[in-house]
């Protein structure tokens, strides 16, 4: 989106150059306002080869205060010229239509012009307006590189002036509409842009310390929401503030990723008719330090020192009463998706502060929903280094409370995205097994009646095909109740089955000093239609089954091997 504002800044600067030339050329004219309007209109027509037409409603010139005000400015595309250029195969990749309420130019330095042929201005303020941007097919128009845009602006300015210097440019309350190649429109309202110390001169095109010829830029958008292609999700933020200067601190407030329909997760899952994860993600604030905007816009490089994500909340929902998903998810692990990002990436570290994750799953009968939660998530990820389609080894570590109470430490290592290889190490503190009933009872018709886990840890190594790992657990006093659905009370204990399970199936104790092994090694063959965390969960789950004496039992038992 920032790249789109580049043309707007160029148009304003061209108007400034024309206004400045006209003021000095026609100061003694009895009809200065008309002369100025005519000059600006002709300037735009000439520089765009007739593609754009400019109309100005009113011009007010105050010579004593060295200021100019232009009202009701309209820049429109000439449809006849555009049609001719498209037939000739010379269609522009992007066209713009602009309406501005007014432009005010203040504090013109007359002596700088008279003695040095330089335009030196105090401030330009653009207030209120609409910008419409339409993108054509790449085949119809060749995109212009940003560096070439800069050189072209400098060349055009040098034809009339030695240089242009502007203390500040303010663009306020702009509403921007962008239409892509399919003519799908995205709108951004109440955009504010501030540029400081703008300079266009001999070396301006090669000054990497400047953005849009300015020493600093602040971009603020009150609300923004855009659909993400065919993904059926929209990405938005309540407040976007980008500050580009020596420190380059950028802030995004109230960022979110939600289903396009605005419906809740249950309704979205029902409409899909598939066992497909539905996501809802939001974060109170994202702060990025030292983001290199020139590298991003000119070289497609995402480069920054530190990214802080505050209070992220991820909600995931899956309805197992719907039809099974047949689409393969091989090649879609987190680090493999990151490797597909169409940018070079160099980010030193990403920090997560006080996050929450909740996964909810509706059972196959469609009459109950289980959930697991992680809260107080704090951690770090990085460094993130990616060039072309190659991602360097990546590490991440997190601390959290599982089910809001169980201390958990997890470390991920992603050495090679090409085969999906990864390792996971996790350690959990002591807890009462009844904390797990929110997940186990609705999804398995089993209630953990008693039991204390004194320690639980696991280490997994996996890839695109499978995961192998060890699970170590010590516990005592484990007692389960096998439940059956009851229309009046919801669940009813199956006494005989519970007795048999506790007597012959479930191992009541497995402590550090008894004869049973605390550590079991498991290999689980991946279901290609399931996601990354499903493979981790299934591998650990069968390790726990081995530890409690249940062994290789379950609907997916053919995928699991518990090694003695």
């Amino acid at each position: 989106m920032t790249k789109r504002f580049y043309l707007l800044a160029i148009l304003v600067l061209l108007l400034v150059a024309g206004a400045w030339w006209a003021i000095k050329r026609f100061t003694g004219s009895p009809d200065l306002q008309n002369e100025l309007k005519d000059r600006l209109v002709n300037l735009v027509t000439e520089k765009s080869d007739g593609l754009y037409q400019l109309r100005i409603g009113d011009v007010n010139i105050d010579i004593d205060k060295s200021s100019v005000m232009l009202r009701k400015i309209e820049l429109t595309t000439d449809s006849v010229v555009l049609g001719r250029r498209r037939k000739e195969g010379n269609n522009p990749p992007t066209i713009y239509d602009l309406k501005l309420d007014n432009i005010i130019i203040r504090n013109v330095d007359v002596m700088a012009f008279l003695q040095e042929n330089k335009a030196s201005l105090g401030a330009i303020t653009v207030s209120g307006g609409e910008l419409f941007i339409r993108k054509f097919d790449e085949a119809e128009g060749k995109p212009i590189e940003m560096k070439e845009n800069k050189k072209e602006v400098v060349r055009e300015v040098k034809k009339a002036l030695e240089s242009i210097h502007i203390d500040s440019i303010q663009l306020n309350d702009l509403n921007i509409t962008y239409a892509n190649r399919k003519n799908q429109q995205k709108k951004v309202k109440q955009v504010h842009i501030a540029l400081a110390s703008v300079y266009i001169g001999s070396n301006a095109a090669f000054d990497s310390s400047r953005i849009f010829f300015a020493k600093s830029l602040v971009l603020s958008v009150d609300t923004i929401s855009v659909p993400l292609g065919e993904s059926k999700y929209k990405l938005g933020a309540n407040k976007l503030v980008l500050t580009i200067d020596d420190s380059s601190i950028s802030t995004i407030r109230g960022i979110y990723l939600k289903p396009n329909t605005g419906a809740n997760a249950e309704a979205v899952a029902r409409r899909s008719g598939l066992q497909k994860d539905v996501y809802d993600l939001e974060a109170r604030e994202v702060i990025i330090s030292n983001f290199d905007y020139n590298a991003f816009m000119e070289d497609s490089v995402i480069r920054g020192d530190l990214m802080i994500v505050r209070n992220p909340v991820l909600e995931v929902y899956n309805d197992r009463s719907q039809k099974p998903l047949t689409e393969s998810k091989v090649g879609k692990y987190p680090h493999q998706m990151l490797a597909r990002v169409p940018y070079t990436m160099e980010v030193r570290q990403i920090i997560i502060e006080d996050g929450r994750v909740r996964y909810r799953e509706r059972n196959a009968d469609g009459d109950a929903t289980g959930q697991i939660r992680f809260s107080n998530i704090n951690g770090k990820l990085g460094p993130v280094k990616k060039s072309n389609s190659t991602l360097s080894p990546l590490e991440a570590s997190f601390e959290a409370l599982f089910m809001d109470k169980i201390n958990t430490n997890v470390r991920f290592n992603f050495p090679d995205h090409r085969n999906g290889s990864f390792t996971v190490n996790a350690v959990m503190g002591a807890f009462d097994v009844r904390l797990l009933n929110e997940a186990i009872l609705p999804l398995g018709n089993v209630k953990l009646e008693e039991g204390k886990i004194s320690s639980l840890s696991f280490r997994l190594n996996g890839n695109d095909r499978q995961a192998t790992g060890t699970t170590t657990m010590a516990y005592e006093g484990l007692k389960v109740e096998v439940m059956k659905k009851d229309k009046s009370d919801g669940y009813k204990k199956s006494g005989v089955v519970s007795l048999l399970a506790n007597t012959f199936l479930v191992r009541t104790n497995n402590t550090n000093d008894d004869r049973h092994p605390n550590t079991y090694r498991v290999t689980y063959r991946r279901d290609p239609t399931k996601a990354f965390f499903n493979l981790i969960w299934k591998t650990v789950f069968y390790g726990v089954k081995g530890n409690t004496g249940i062994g290789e039992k379950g609907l997916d038992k053919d995928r699991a091997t518990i090694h003695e």
Side-chain angles (χ1 to χ4, degrees), residues 370-383:
Q371 65 172 306
I372 61 172
R373 300 184 304 278
F374 290 90
S375 58
N376 292 80
I377 301 172
N378 294 279
K380 58 185 179 180
L381 170 71

Side-chain angles (χ1 to χ4, degrees), residues 17 21 39 113 117 155-163:
W21 183 90
R39 175 58 185 167
F113 176 79
N117 195 34
R155 282 195 293 267
E156 292 299 324
V157 168
K158 294 284 284 185
K159 290 178 181 179
L161 297 166
E162 183 63 28
S163 64

Side-chain angles (χ1 to χ4, degrees), residues 320 361 522-530 533-543 545 550-562:
R320 297 297 179 190
E361 183 176 307
V522 174
T523 297
Y524 188 88
R525 183 167 48 85
R526 180 188 182 185
D527 181 344
T529 67
K530 305 299 183 184
F533 290 101
N534 178 268
L535 177 60
I536 295 174
W537 158 247
K538 288 293 187 179
T539 308
V540 173
F541 186 46
Y542 271 93
K545 284 183 176 182
I550 297 174
E552 297 171 359
K553 293 180 175 63
L555 295 177
D556 56 347
K557 62 183 180 181
D558 292 340
R559 294 185 175 275
T561 303
I562 300 178

Side-chain angles (χ1 to χ4, degrees), residues 233 259 261-272 274 276-280 315-319 322 358 360:
Y233 284 86
T261 60
N264 60 32
E266 290 83 353
V268 174
R270 238 183 352 260
R271 290 171 187 170
S272 74
L274 296 170
K276 192 173 186 178
D277 290 338
V278 179
Y279 298 93
D280 191 317
E315 298 270 352
V316 185
Y317 177 79
N318 196 301
D319 189 345
Q322 304 298 329
R358 183 172 69 155
R360 294 184 300 133

Side-chain angles (χ1 to χ4, degrees), residues 357-527:
V357 174
R358 183 172 69 155
Y359 175 79
R360 294 184 300 133
E361 183 176 307
R362 194 181 190 197
N363 65 18
D365 294 330
D367 55 7
T369 301
Q371 65 172 306
I372 61 172
R373 300 184 304 278
F374 290 90
S375 58
N376 292 80
I377 301 172
N378 294 279
K380 58 185 179 180
L381 170 71
V384 181
K385 295 182 179 180
K386 175 191 170 294
S387 59
N388 299 322
S389 59
T390 302
L391 178 70
S392 297
L394 184 62
E395 294 185 359
S397 59
F398 301 96
E399 297 178 350
L401 293 179
F402 179 49
M403 303 305 282
D404 299 330
K405 292 185 177 181
I406 306 168
N407 290 320
T408 305
N409 290 273
V410 184
R411 177 179 292 274
F412 295 90
N413 284 279
F414 301 101
D416 192 344
H417 66 90
R418 291 168 295 185
N419 63 0
S421 61
F422 67 90
T423 64
V424 186
N425 291 274
V427 178
M428 303 178 74
F431 63 93
D432 190 312
V433 297
R434 289 175 291 183
L435 290 172
L436 305 180
N437 281 327
E438 284 186 65
I440 293 175
L441 180 57
L443 300 178
N445 291 339
V446 174
K447 181 179 180 181
L448 300 178
E449 182 65 19
E450 297 177 11
K452 301 289 184 181
I453 306 293
S454 57
S455 64
L456 173 61
S457 63
F458 60 86
R459 174 184 173 83
L460 306 182
N461 293 280
N463 52 41
D464 280 331
R465 302 180 305 279
Q466 65 180 29
T468 297
T470 57
T471 300
T472 302
M473 184 171 73
Y475 66 91
E476 58 184 353
L478 181 61
K479 181 180 179 181
V480 303
E481 291 183 354
V482 179
M483 311 297 288
K484 58 183 179 181
K485 296 291 176 61
D486 185 85
K487 292 183 179 180
S488 58
D489 299 327
Y491 291 96
K492 185 177 181 180
K493 178 181 176 180
S494 179
V496 175
V497 178
S498 297
L499 177 62
L500 292 173
N502 286 307
T503 303
F504 300 105
L505 186 62
V506 177
R507 189 176 294 147
T508 305
N509 301 295
N510 193 345
T511 60
N512 292 324
D513 55 359
D514 62 20
R515 63 185 177 85
H516 302 297
N518 287 43
T519 300
Y520 282 79
R521 188 165 69 92
V522 174
T523 297
Y524 188 88
R525 183 167 48 85
R526 180 188 182 185
D527 181 344

